Every structure is written in C-alpha cells, then in structure tokens.
Amino acid sequence: MNGRRLLPGLLALCLGALLARTLAGALGVNHLLLAIAFGFVAANAVGVPDCLEPGIETHKLWLGTGIVLMGASISLETVLEVGGVVLLLVVGVAATTLLVVELLARNVFGLADRMGSLLAAGASICGVSAVVAVAGSIRAREEQIAYAAATVLLFDAVTIVVYPIVGDLLGLSGMVFGTWAGVSMFSTGPVVAVGFAHSEAAGQWATMTKLSRNALIGVVVLAYASYYARAAGDSRPSVRTLWDEFPKFVLGFLGLAVVASAGVLSSAQLASIENAYNWLFVVAFAGLGTEIRLADLRTTGWTPAVVVLIALLASSALSLAALVLLF
Amino acid sequence: MSTDGWLPIGDAVTDRWTVLERDWQSVLIGAAIVALVVLFELQIPW
C-alpha cells in the first residue's frame, strides 16, 4: 500500500527536521537552513536509498501545506496597505526578468528559442515548476528541460547562501528583505527558507510576494503556448490553461487569511497553527536539500548560467533599489 | 468484527487521494490541521 511505501522517507524527513530544530540553537545557525544543509549533505555524501525516495519526494506537499497554514498569521490590513505597490513590483520585475533572459538568450548568446524560453520562465516566475509547466506547453526537448532545470537549481543553491549574507550586511528590514527575496529569487522553497531565516516578518512577506509571482505562471504558460503554437501553425491553447497552471494552494492560504482576519481563531489556536507550519517548513526543507545534487549542477552549461546570472543580477539590484526607495 | 469490509472504502479513499492534484492535497491537509486545532483545542508545541 501507498502509505507503507512513504513511511521510511517520511520518518527520515521528520528525523532531519528534529535534528535541525535541536542542533540549530546549539550551533547558532538558523534551523531552516540547517535542515536544507542536512538534506544536501545526506544526498551528496551517501545518496538517498531507494526505499526513502517516495517519502522524501513528499516534501513539496508539506511546503504547500505550510504555506496554506501561514495564511492564519497574515495581517490582511498590512497587505492591503502596501500590497498594491508590491504587486506592481512583482509584475514589473517578472516581466523585466523574462524579457532580459529572452533577449540575451536569443540575440546575444544564440541559445535555441525553446531553451531561452524555459530559462526565462524559470528565472522570472517560479523556478523548476515554471520550467516544467512551460516545457509541456511548448514541446521542449528532454535535454533542454534538464539543462534549464539544472541552471535554476544552481542559482537556488547559490541564492540560499548569498541572500541572507547580503540582507545582514545591508541591515534590511524584514519587509524589504522578504519582498526582495520574493520578487527576485527563483524557487518557492528557497524563498520561504531565506525569508524565515531572516525573521518572521521577512518570511511572511517573502511567501506572500512569491505566491503573487507564482500566480502569474498561468499567464506565462498561455502566452508561450500561443506564441509557439502560432509559429508552428497549430490551433491556440484554451484559457483553461490559466486555471490548470494556477497554484491552487494559494486559495487555501487566502481562505485561511480571511478566516483569521475575521477574528474567529483564539490566540492559542493561532499559536498552534504557527507552530504547525514551522514544523512543516523544517520537514519540507530537509527534503528540499536532498534535491540539490552536485552532479546535476556540474552538468549546467556555462552559457545558460551566464544568461540567468545577468538577469538575476539586474532584477535583484533593480528590485532592491526600488524597495529601499519605496519603504 | 472483521475489518475486511473497510478495505474497499480505504482503497477508494486512497485512489481518490492519489489522483488529487498536489496543491489540493496541501489545502486539504491544511484544513484538517486547522479543524483539529479548532475542534479539539489541539496544542502543537515548538
């Protein structure tokens, strides 16, 4: 049965989470980053046994559940106050990153069109998930998907380390750091991890900003699918693609945010829900660490990496400057 | 009492759960945790 197949990996994730939670205080490091480090070391030093893989692969489910529960801690009042500006920034940075990667890939570095589009989607929206979603709609080749995914994962690994250091050096507030990570880093897991590693406020802003960005995936997939279908003389894809690609856990997050803002939950209940999502995040990040494989990163070609690096530096610097000026 | 009667129900639930999109699974697990905390005053320590 399914549950029995998942159990060993789930136990391994829980053990990693408990170790990270226990040792973080003693070592003076953040428990989320330590959980990622445990997963990374385990996967790259000894490898993940086959019997553990099904359970460990559930880590994205726990991340999604943690994000849903985080809705209870969100102050809708604050979000409505500055949300419009942040939303504009999200759309602006995503569009700029997508255009910069497309232009560099096609006109400067001469990459194949579909390769450039996969890198643009991954860098501008939501990392590997965007790469996979766009790949399906533009019929990209297997090796292009693997290349683009490896490039995104390379920058996920780099930004997990670099962003907290830059945030500390510049003394950024929780709101500015979280929003900056949310608009410019690639995959959801690393964004949430560096956000909460900085502070609770940064974690919440990082998650909200990243969720807004992820919600753009439907539009991007639809645009790319239409573009490549027209180029090939095929029929246009339906608007249903928008719904199919929409990250549905955002609805759970928003629903709980509305319930919590209505004052239905007591402070003890809110504290329990907050503890639940903190545990879910540690469990999820232990699994996320196992996905960063050095062998895969070494296969990344230098050209895609340079294209994405330039786009990341541009979007990161511009968004940080805008945030510091605005807030 | 035999537990055999429950097996088809368990299998049906497992099948339904397996075909559910992962995002919806996250929403359902989140809702279950909130329900446990609210209905049974479940206290989750940190």
Side-chain angles (χ1 to χ4, degrees):
Chain A
M1 176 168 160
N2 237 347
R4 241 172 275 161
R5 221 162 46 87
L6 299 177
L7 202 59
L10 283 174
L11 286 174
L13 285 183
C14 292
L15 187 66
L18 273 172
L19 269 177
R21 169 81 181 91
T22 311
L23 294 178
L27 297 173
V29 290
N30 180 270
H31 59 281
L32 297 176
L33 299 182
L34 193 60
I36 294 175
F38 280 156
F40 172 76
V41 170
N44 290 279
V46 289
V48 177
D50 289 346
C51 64
L52 298 184
E53 274 195 0
I56 287 179
E57 280 169 4
T58 60
H59 67 90
K60 286 180 182 161
L61 175 67
W62 310 123
L63 177 67
T65 308
I67 290 173
V68 168
L69 292 183
M70 215 193 78
S73 302
I74 297 302
S75 157
L76 280 185
E77 203 178 313
T78 313
V79 174
L80 293 174
E81 204 174 294
V82 291
V85 180
V86 171
L87 201 61
L88 276 178
L89 197 67
V90 166
V91 175
V93 174
T96 308
T97 310
L98 191 134
L99 287 175
V100 169
V101 175
E102 282 284 3
L103 286 173
L104 286 173
R106 290 173 190 232
N107 302 331
V108 181
F109 291 92
L111 291 175
D113 288 358
R114 284 179 167 77
M115 181 69 191
S117 300
L118 294 184
L119 291 173
S124 62
I125 308 294
C126 50
V128 175
S129 314
V131 170
V132 174
V134 169
S137 67
I138 66 172
R139 294 173 194 163
R141 294 201 307 269
E142 281 292 316
E143 71 269 19
Q144 290 175 327
I145 302 170
Y147 238 51
T151 308
V152 166
L153 287 172
L154 171 69
F155 284 98
D156 280 345
V158 171
T159 49
I160 281 177
V161 178
V162 173
Y163 267 63
I165 295 172
V166 176
D168 284 347
L169 283 176
L170 298 179
L172 299 176
S173 70
M175 191 263 170
V176 169
F177 179 79
T179 310
W180 178 49
V183 293
S184 57
M185 283 175 66
F186 296 166
S187 300
T188 306
V191 168
V192 178
V194 300
F196 279 102
H198 180 281
S199 61
E200 185 72 21
Q204 293 181 354
W205 277 104
T207 311
M208 282 189 292
T209 313
K210 191 67 181 66
L211 290 184
S212 316
R213 209 170 127 206
N214 290 357
L216 299 175
I217 184 62
V219 180
V220 171
V221 167
L222 189 66
Y224 271 126
S226 303
Y227 171 79
Y228 282 96
R230 198 161 40 186
D234 295 345
S235 60
R236 285 175 156 221
S238 71
V239 180
R240 190 185 156 80
T241 312
L242 280 173
W243 172 247
D244 287 343
E245 300 300 336
F246 184 79
K248 279 83 175 180
F249 61 79
V250 172
L251 301 176
F253 169 87
L254 290 174
L256 196 51
V258 170
V259 169
S261 297
V264 177
L265 303 169
S266 69
S267 55
Q269 290 167 342
L270 286 172
S272 276
I273 292 171
E274 189 175 324
N275 291 340
Y277 76 68
N278 279 322
W279 277 115
L280 286 165
F281 284 155
V282 200
V283 168
F285 292 144
L288 175 75
T290 66
E291 286 212 342
I292 307 172
R293 306 283 172 96
L294 284 175
D296 293 344
L297 299 183
R298 284 194 201 105
T299 64
T300 313
W302 70 270
T303 315
V306 170
V307 169
V308 174
L309 175 65
I310 295 171
L312 175 65
L313 289 175
S315 64
S316 185
L318 283 174
S319 56
L320 182 57
L323 282 163
V324 170
L325 283 174
L326 288 168
F327 304 104
Chain B
M1 189 180 130
S2 166
T3 56
D4 290 353
W6 294 101
L7 286 177
I9 299 171
D11 289 346
V13 171
T14 307
D15 289 346
R16 283 282 178 95
W17 180 257
T18 311
V19 296
L20 202 60
E21 207 177 320
R22 192 180 62 220
D23 283 356
W24 286 122
Q25 291 180 343
S26 289
V27 174
L28 288 180
I29 297 175
I33 293 172
V34 173
L36 286 172
V37 167
V38 172
L39 296 175
F40 302 106
E41 289 295 333
L42 182 72
Q43 294 198 0
I44 299 169
W46 174 240

